[in-house]
Amino acid sequence: MKKEDIAKLFNISRQTLNNWEKDKPELYKIIEEHFEERKEAPDLNNPQYLKNEMIKAIDKLPEHKTKKFYHLMMAELAEIGL
């Protein structure tokens, strides 16, 4: 993504983004890496990709939410007979 497009998303000027690159390199690096990662579209038809993404998301949850999602998933599986 071009710097102009990134600046528009943040509602800042291109110059501000350039200033961040010089004055706040850690912040700029995070922004740059975020938009670089978006270049490849995920394969949402690949079950292994979906499973990996689900596991990554669950790993970020607090314990009580993990339990909640476990029970929700098990209920869905029971409903379809698995």
Side-chain angles (χ1 to χ4, degrees):
M1 183 176 270
K2 295 180 182 179
K3 281 188 176 181
E4 292 84 10
D5 298 327
I6 295 171
K8 284 180 187 176
L9 285 173
F10 285 101
N11 198 26
I12 59 172
S13 69
R14 166 81 190 267
Q15 184 58 50
T16 298
L17 195 58
N18 288 339
N19 291 342
W20 288 356
E21 187 174 11
K22 293 177 207 161
D23 302 332
K24 300 176 182 179
E26 299 87 5
L27 173 62
Y28 182 79
K29 183 179 177 185
I30 291 168
I31 293 169
E32 186 178 51
E33 287 174 359
H34 173 78
F35 288 104
E36 282 179 2
E37 290 175 11
R38 304 285 179 200
K39 286 182 182 176
E40 283 187 35
D43 183 1
L44 299 178
N45 294 316
N46 179 343
Q48 191 59 48
Y49 170 80
L50 297 174
K51 290 175 190 176
N52 290 339
E53 290 299 303
M54 290 168 56
I55 290 168
K56 283 194 268 183
I58 289 169
D59 284 343
K60 294 177 185 176
L61 293 173
E63 186 176 323
H64 70 282
K65 289 289 187 179
T66 301
K67 290 178 182 179
K68 177 182 177 181
F69 276 90
Y70 168 80
H71 292 294
L72 288 169
M73 185 175 68
M74 296 311 284
E76 287 290 325
L77 292 172
E79 189 175 297
I80 62 173
L82 294 177

